[in-house]
Amino acid sequence: MTHQMVFGVDEAGKGPAIGPMIAAAVRVADRGHLPDGMADSKDLAPDRREDLAARLRSADAIAVGVCAITPDRIDDPETDMNGLAVAAHTGAIEAALADADHGSGADVDPPAGVCDACDTDADRFARRVTDACSHPIDVAAEHGADADDPLVGAASIVAKVERDARMADVAETYADAGYGDPGSGYPSDPKTRAFLEAHVDETGRLPDCARRSWATCRDVLADAQQSGLADFAGE
């Protein structure tokens, strides 16, 4: 009789102008080990997400893997977000499988999992993750899997809580500098834009936590430089 571990993978922070992208993988030998209430992290209140993430991390029958893609890596001109998403999902899967037998025995099938697709072509994304992983795995990718598959929902919860914790660290780092609250890091967040503008106005450069290649960050820097030129011309 064979048995097969299963896992779900999702990421948080693909689109923000500040902070890392985080991917998480949640691996179980039996889906029945998942706590009740797993869902797309966007549908859960922060306190509920944090409680579920803590339960997932503390459960003996569940393994959690996390992979962070830093702003510097995101800004590398030799990369693109689809490729970085593949790397993040692969890193999270390998971390979740690190303490397991990956199929070396005849009675163990290669782990099988579902990724929330980060490519318009879900099958291509699954192939790229499969090829990138150093372990033999069987991967499928689906759009909206975080809402449809509780195991991927579990991964989305872990990824979101980890991303929020990293942003809390960013806020703490800059708390005494007078730049304000960095907010969620998303371009649509007024706090994020105000934080970037305050940092550039004070230092003449973007903060280390910023994704400098993002349009929002480039615009803030360009506006400050233009304003500086205007002030100089008016003297």
Side-chain angles (χ1 to χ4, degrees):
M1 181 177 180
T2 63
H3 67 274
Q4 183 176 43
M5 293 182 295
V6 291
F7 58 86
V9 196
D10 197 12
E11 88 294 325
K14 188 177 180 183
I18 291 176
M21 174 172 63
I22 303 292
V26 174
R27 185 264 297 169
V28 295
D30 183 339
R31 283 176 173 267
H33 292 147
L34 277 179
D36 292 337
M38 295 300 139
D40 183 351
S41 62
K42 296 186 290 294
D43 296 332
L44 300 172
D47 288 350
R48 179 63 171 158
R49 287 196 299 261
E50 291 174 9
D51 175 65
L52 289 172
R55 292 174 65 188
L56 288 164
R57 286 183 175 277
S58 64
D60 291 339
I62 299 172
V64 171
V66 170
C67 180
I69 304 295
T70 64
D72 282 347
R73 189 172 176 187
I74 291 169
D75 287 334
D76 185 340
E78 299 300 318
T79 64
D80 62 78
M81 285 308 295
N82 278 350
L84 290 172
V86 169
H89 279 232
T90 302
I93 292 168
E94 292 187 335
L97 298 180
D99 61 349
D101 183 340
H102 310 299
S104 58
D107 62 336
V108 180
D109 289 333
V114 177
C115 295
D116 191 58
C118 292
D119 189 333
T120 54
D121 186 331
D123 291 339
R124 177 173 60 196
F125 187 76
R127 289 194 301 271
R128 292 183 70 185
V129 172
T130 300
D131 291 344
C133 192
S134 61
H135 306 299
I137 55 173
D138 181 7
V139 176
E142 301 172 8
H143 296 115
D146 49 356
D148 297 334
D149 186 327
L151 195 51
V152 181
S156 80
I157 291 167
V158 173
K160 174 61 174 168
V161 169
E162 181 68 19
R163 158 82 187 173
D164 287 349
R166 303 286 181 111
M167 288 303 298
D169 289 343
V170 169
E172 183 176 353
T173 297
Y174 292 94
D176 297 328
Y179 307 130
D181 183 352
S184 66
Y186 281 85
S188 59
D189 188 339
K191 290 182 179 180
T192 297
R193 177 89 185 195
F195 168 80
L196 291 169
E197 290 173 346
H199 191 281
V200 170
D201 287 345
E202 179 68 23
T203 67
R205 63 180 183 84
L206 291 162
D208 292 340
C209 60
R211 301 179 186 181
R212 297 172 176 81
S213 58
W214 251 231
T216 298
C217 296
R218 294 199 311 268
D219 290 348
V220 167
L221 195 58
D223 289 348
Q225 292 169 343
Q226 188 65 34
S227 176
L229 288 172
D231 290 343
F232 177 78
E235 290 180 355

